């Protein structure tokens, strides 16, 4: 069996996809810029610990808290019906969902949906979250076939953590400060920046270094082919394995 012998369902995205993707990413970063300028760039954790939070283990709780902070920031914009970002809907997703937050924007009379995966990394811990798992191979491959305009955005948020004594309680507060952020459309991340990890189910799509990402514009079908090749050429996978996944998930006609 050869990959070339399979008859694929070929997804064709809208002619405006790139402009729509650029628009959604700009809105996301502009919203975060606004909150940072307003000083809403900290998460303060009050505890009854006189010595504060154990900073060496803070990454274990930082991810969900950064994700919750981002969700609240976007929800606050949405609640202003006349917001300048045209953000009309924000939905937090289940913990094991493909995305963490779904954002919907209006653009030129259309509604654009961004599926946002929030990744938190510690600025003061070397290699923290440098190579995150993004999503499963089968899940993202199926999403692109089901909806050729599926917009999957990785929102990388870098934070620093420090402790400060609360003047009111006399106890130590843990403070997570947002120091940087970048948003990327997974479909446009360059070949060399995408990695396939065969562990866990059908395998995980990874970004090799989330702090240094380059873009490479491609169509949805080209993205599907790239994912396929990453899968097939991994040490633990074969074309026969791919064929079983393709039949199960209805990526092919034969």
């Amino acid at each position: 069996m050869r990959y070339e012998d399979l008859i694929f369902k070929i997804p064709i995205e809208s002619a405006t996809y790139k402009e729509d993707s650029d628009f959604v990413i700009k809105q996301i970063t502009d919203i975060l810029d606004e909150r940072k300028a307003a000083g809403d760039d900290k998460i303060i954790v009050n505890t009854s610990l006189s010595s504060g939070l154990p900073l060496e283990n803070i990454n274990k709780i930082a991810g969900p808290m950064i994700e919750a902070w981002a969700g609240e920031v976007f929800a606050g914009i949405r609640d202003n019906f006349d917001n300048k970002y045209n953000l009309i809907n924000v939905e937090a997703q289940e913990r094991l969902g493909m995305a963490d937050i779904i954002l919907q924007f209006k653009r030129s009379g259309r509604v654009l949906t961004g599926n946002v995966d929030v990744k938190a990394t510690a600025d003061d811990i070397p290699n923290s979250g440098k190579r995150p798992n993004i999503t499963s191979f089968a899940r993202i491959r199926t999403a692109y076939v089901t909806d050729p305009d599926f917009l999957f955005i990785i929102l990388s948020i870098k934070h620093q953590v420090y402790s400060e004594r609360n003047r009111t309680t006399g106890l130590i507060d843990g403070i997570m400060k947002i120091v940087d952020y970048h948003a990327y459309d997974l479909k446009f991340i360059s070949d060399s920046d995408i990695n396939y990890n065969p562990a866990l189910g059908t395998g995980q799509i990874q970004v090799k270094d989330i702090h240094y990402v380059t873009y490479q514009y491609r169509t949805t079908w080209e993205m599907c082919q790239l994912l396929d090749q990453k899968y097939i050429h991994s040490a633990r996978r074969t074309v026969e394995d791919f064929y079983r996944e393709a039949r199960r998930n209805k990526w092919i006609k034969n």
Side-chain angles (χ1 to χ4, degrees):
M1 179 181 296
R2 299 188 309 159
Y3 179 84
E4 294 76 9
D5 295 332
L6 301 178
I7 303 174
F8 288 94
K9 296 178 180 178
I10 299 178
I12 300 176
E13 71 276 12
S14 301
T16 60
Y17 179 86
K18 179 182 178 298
E19 291 76 17
D20 294 340
S21 172
D22 291 343
F23 174 83
V24 170
I25 286 176
K26 184 177 187 303
Q27 302 306 87
I28 289 172
T29 53
D30 284 354
I31 288 171
L32 295 179
D33 287 344
E34 177 188 288
R35 299 322 306 154
K36 187 174 183 180
D40 180 16
D41 59 352
K42 299 181 184 71
I43 300 169
I44 300 175
V45 182
N46 305 116
T47 73
S48 59
L49 300 173
S50 59
S51 58
L53 293 172
L55 297 184
E56 68 274 13
N57 294 318
I58 200 67
N59 279 338
K60 295 178 181 179
I61 64 170
M65 298 190 76
I66 295 292
E67 177 188 322
W69 173 85
E72 289 191 0
V73 166
F74 294 124
I77 298 295
R78 173 206 58 198
D79 292 342
N80 176 1
F81 293 110
D82 297 319
N83 71 81
K84 63 183 178 182
Y85 304 104
N86 296 318
L87 179 61
I88 60 173
N89 190 33
V90 178
E91 294 181 12
Q93 299 300 287
E94 295 181 358
R95 192 65 196 154
L96 296 179
M98 188 170 178
D100 297 314
I101 309 167
I102 290 179
L103 304 178
Q104 291 184 306
F105 298 88
K106 271 192 174 180
R107 180 176 189 247
S108 303
R110 297 175 296 121
V111 175
L112 306 179
T113 300
N115 301 268
V116 182
D117 184 24
V118 181
K119 297 299 181 187
T121 61
D123 184 53
D124 43 4
I125 300 177
N127 297 323
S128 166
K130 177 182 176 180
R131 182 179 290 192
N133 287 330
I134 302 301
T135 187
S136 80
F137 163 74
R139 183 178 278 185
I140 190 64
R141 178 65 164 81
T142 300
Y144 285 135
V145 173
T146 303
D147 177 9
D149 290 323
F150 187 75
L151 181 52
F152 190 78
I153 296 171
I154 302 165
L155 176 57
S156 172
I157 300 180
K158 191 181 290 187
H159 64 276
Q160 289 180 344
V161 179
Y162 58 93
S163 295
E164 189 172 80
R165 187 170 298 279
N166 187 307
R167 294 189 178 186
T168 302
T169 66
L171 299 174
I172 302 296
D173 290 339
I175 300 173
M176 301 176 189
K177 180 178 174 60
I178 311 303
V179 296
D180 200 9
Y181 40 82
H182 295 280
Y184 311 103
D185 185 336
L186 176 62
K187 197 169 84 174
F188 293 151
I189 293 178
S190 70
D191 294 7
S192 60
D193 287 327
I194 294 177
N195 188 51
Y196 171 78
N197 179 359
L200 300 176
T202 62
Q204 290 285 315
I205 302 303
Q206 297 178 325
V207 175
K208 290 183 180 178
D209 188 344
I210 201 166
H211 302 309
Y212 299 96
V213 172
T214 55
Y215 254 28
Q216 178 180 341
Y217 292 107
R218 57 172 73 87
T219 66
T220 304
W221 172 229
E222 288 171 339
M223 181 59 174
C224 289
Q225 291 175 292
L226 172 64
L227 294 173
D228 295 349
Q229 295 309 309
K230 296 281 185 181
Y231 177 95
I232 291 170
H233 292 143
S234 68
R236 300 185 196 175
R237 307 297 185 191
T238 65
V239 174
E240 287 71 22
D241 294 328
F242 175 81
Y243 177 66
R244 284 192 292 271
E245 290 298 329
R247 288 193 62 188
R248 181 183 301 116
N249 294 288
K250 300 180 173 59
W251 305 333
I252 58 176
K253 299 178 182 179
N254 59 330

